[in-house]
Amino acid sequence: MTISTRRSVSLFLPALVLLCMAQIATAQPAPPAASTPSASSGGPDESSNLSVVEWLKRMHGAARSHAYVGTFVVTVAAGNLSSARIWHACEGDLQIERVDVLSGPPRTTFRRNEQVLTFLPDQRVIKSEKRENSELFPNLLGVPDSAIADFYTVKVVGKGRVAGFDTDVIQLMPRDQLRFGYRVWTEKRTGLLTKLQTVDSDGKVVEQSAFSELQLDAPVKVQALSQMMGSTAGYRMEKSQVERTTAQAEGWALKNPVPGFKPMSCNRRAIAGSERTLQWTFSDGLATVSLFLEPFDAKRDAQEGTMALGATYTLTRRIADPAGDWWLTAVGEVPARTLEAFAQNLTRQPTR
């Protein structure tokens, strides 16, 4: 995986993965084991009858209709830890968010709907880009559709408490081996996601994300965050060069689709002034996979393989092409077999 592609991956992964990938610091304590929520008490709860799509719509709506401030912490099975401070405000269709990474070199990211500015104080640089997909916290790509229910089932586990708030606890269970399961804590009154565990096929928690402190309906205003986002004096602005395209126009196709994963976007991106890298993104409504493709360079792209960090897997592979080989970097919060399915089905086709 090249340095340039590593940079592109860190910029375009979904919000929860960004927190985990961004300058990981080694944690002293081991990550918590899978929590066992307390059994539900009392009479029947109306929320227990919700479908998987209805649960996701509830979370989606809560994140876009409430202001909140909190500290969000990500731990992975290896014991690594990262954390960030999140401010979120909304006003009608306008969503604005500030995320300060608390681990490693300082970095602040603002997002106002599709516009994203990342401040790098040590370099006095601001990276500006537009993102098509909704990547505000939590990571739900638009309003969930009914197709999600074809690949996940939902089970109400019980009740819990996170950051001082009473929560409902549900489990989203995959119907196949191509995706992880999730244990989700949502604030009881609003449905805001407060804690998420990603669970593998053996029931092991491979990654946990949770608020350690949360102010719900906090007095944070859109105008205040907008003013902070506009304070660019003393920084050099670097605009990402992104060109929307299609996989077909670029000569790529999947021989067979990977079940449940729909193409979301396809862009060419200029990275570090080098030849443009193609990013083809897929999602099943919860998990996301990005395929990064660039011309193969023997001096740079030496080793194929698969690596994991928490729930995020990365696969690198050389793709033979008579006109010149290519280098694939596939990244997603999915099991390794899912990336392998994408790699095996990826093929070149004549361009028009």
Side-chain angles (χ1 to χ4, degrees):
M1 185 176 185
T2 68
I3 294 175
S4 62
T5 305
R6 285 194 192 97
R7 186 177 296 112
S8 69
V9 169
S10 69
L11 285 173
F12 308 127
L13 289 178
L16 292 181
V17 180
L18 276 173
L19 295 179
C20 185
M21 292 291 287
Q23 309 300 332
I24 298 293
T26 302
Q28 294 301 318
S35 305
T36 304
S38 60
S40 181
S41 59
D45 190 332
E46 186 176 314
S47 62
S48 64
N49 297 320
L50 296 179
S51 69
V52 59
V53 175
E54 289 169 333
W55 274 108
L56 295 174
K57 284 183 176 179
R58 187 167 186 257
M59 285 185 274
H60 182 275
R64 284 151 180 79
S65 58
H66 293 274
Y68 52 86
V69 179
T71 301
F72 203 69
V73 179
V74 178
T75 53
V76 299
N80 292 331
L81 169 75
S82 65
S83 59
R85 185 74 173 165
I86 300 175
W87 292 260
H88 178 270
C90 50
E91 192 174 280
D93 292 334
L94 176 61
Q95 303 286 327
I96 188 166
E97 191 166 85
R98 170 179 175 169
V99 179
D100 284 5
V101 172
L102 303 180
S103 308
R107 184 175 74 235
T108 296
T109 300
F110 288 93
R111 174 157 187 161
R112 183 184 174 99
N113 288 351
E114 293 184 348
Q115 183 63 39
V116 180
L117 296 182
T118 300
F119 288 70
L120 305 174
D122 289 351
Q123 303 173 36
R124 307 305 294 175
V125 167
I126 298 173
K127 295 186 179 294
S128 173
E129 61 176 312
K130 286 189 176 181
R131 299 183 189 172
E132 295 177 3
N133 296 330
S134 174
E135 293 174 6
L136 290 163
F137 174 87
N139 173 31
L140 292 174
L141 299 177
V143 178
D145 63 44
S146 58
I148 294 178
D150 294 336
F151 301 97
Y152 296 91
T153 62
V154 64
K155 175 184 177 183
V156 177
V157 178
K159 308 295 181 186
R161 275 178 67 80
V162 177
F165 289 90
D166 291 331
T167 61
D168 294 309
V169 188
I170 65 169
Q171 190 153 348
L172 300 174
M173 297 166 288
R175 295 181 184 270
D176 57 28
Q177 299 294 308
L178 294 175
R179 55 211 94 229
F180 289 123
Y182 303 93
R183 194 172 293 118
V184 184
W185 284 250
T186 62
E187 199 275 325
K188 190 170 183 62
R189 178 177 62 87
T190 64
L192 183 71
L193 187 151
T194 58
K195 180 177 176 180
L196 173 72
Q197 289 180 341
T198 304
V199 183
D200 66 15
S201 58
D202 296 324
K204 178 183 176 183
V205 177
V206 294
E207 184 171 302
Q208 175 174 292
S209 313
F211 279 109
S212 61
E213 177 270 330
L214 174 64
Q215 301 173 52
L216 190 54
D217 294 323
V220 55
K221 301 299 182 183
V222 166
Q223 183 178 2
L225 290 179
S226 295
Q227 289 176 345
M228 295 178 194
M229 187 175 182
S231 299
T232 61
Y235 283 80
R236 184 179 77 257
M237 187 76 69
E238 293 184 357
K239 292 187 177 181
S240 175
Q241 299 179 36
V242 179
E243 181 181 346
R244 189 178 300 181
T245 184
T246 66
Q248 183 179 13
E250 300 298 324
W252 294 100
L254 291 179
K255 290 178 288 188
N256 297 294
V258 179
F261 287 89
K262 300 176 182 179
M264 303 299 296
S265 63
C266 189
N267 298 292
R268 283 200 301 263
R269 300 181 179 274
I271 300 172
S274 64
E275 190 168 353
R276 291 196 173 188
T277 297
L278 185 72
Q279 181 187 5
W280 193 9
T281 301
F282 298 78
S283 176
D284 69 354
L286 290 178
T288 303
V289 172
S290 284
L291 307 181
F292 295 90
L293 290 150
E294 57 190 334
F296 176 77
D297 184 339
K299 296 180 180 179
R300 181 189 61 191
D301 307 318
Q303 188 170 354
E304 297 180 340
T306 303
M307 61 174 289
L309 178 59
T312 302
Y313 277 77
T314 302
L315 175 149
T316 52
R317 178 143 321 158
R318 183 176 180 175
I319 299 177
D321 182 1
D325 290 356
W326 294 83
W327 187 251
L328 166 68
T329 302
V331 183
E333 61 277 18
V334 293
R337 63 172 62 88
T338 309
L339 298 184
E340 185 65 36
F342 274 99
Q344 289 182 357
N345 282 288
L346 188 64
T347 184
R348 290 291 284 166
Q349 63 180 12
T351 57
R352 294 180 181 178

